Amino acid sequence: MSRGAEEDNLIMSKAVRAWYRHCGVYWDDQASAFLCDAAIGLYNEGYRSVEEMATVLIGTIVGLVATRVNAPSSDSVH
């Protein structure tokens, strides 16, 4: 049985929250939009667990300042 969209969204959301916890920063709308785009990109690449996705987000987006790029998509993260 395949997972539903809600479960997939929850996985991406938890991965983004793990990034916030790891970096120790407060919620930021611009950062969240960037991180969510990156999480969607990772999902599209085949990442399906919170742990995998969070590890890649944490390893590639180092701190809040890294979310401030003028990239049109999350491709710049990968």
Side-chain angles (χ1 to χ4, degrees):
M1 177 178 264
S2 64
R3 292 193 293 228
E6 276 187 42
E7 186 175 343
D8 293 337
N9 288 338
L10 184 60
I11 288 168
M12 290 182 271
S13 174
K14 285 181 176 182
V16 168
R17 289 186 305 214
W19 181 91
Y20 273 102
R21 280 191 305 276
H22 176 81
C23 292
V25 296
Y26 291 106
W27 182 266
D28 178 90
D29 288 337
Q30 184 178 356
S32 295
F34 183 87
L35 290 163
C36 288
D37 284 347
I40 291 167
L42 292 172
Y43 180 86
N44 289 337
E45 290 178 18
Y47 293 86
R48 294 294 188 268
S49 76
V50 174
E51 295 79 16
E52 289 177 320
M53 205 173 284
T55 298
V56 175
L57 289 175
I58 290 166
T60 57
I61 305 171
V62 183
L64 194 58
V65 73
T67 66
R68 300 297 192 234
V69 297
N70 292 324
S73 71
S74 63
D75 291 342
S76 62
V77 176
H78 310 293

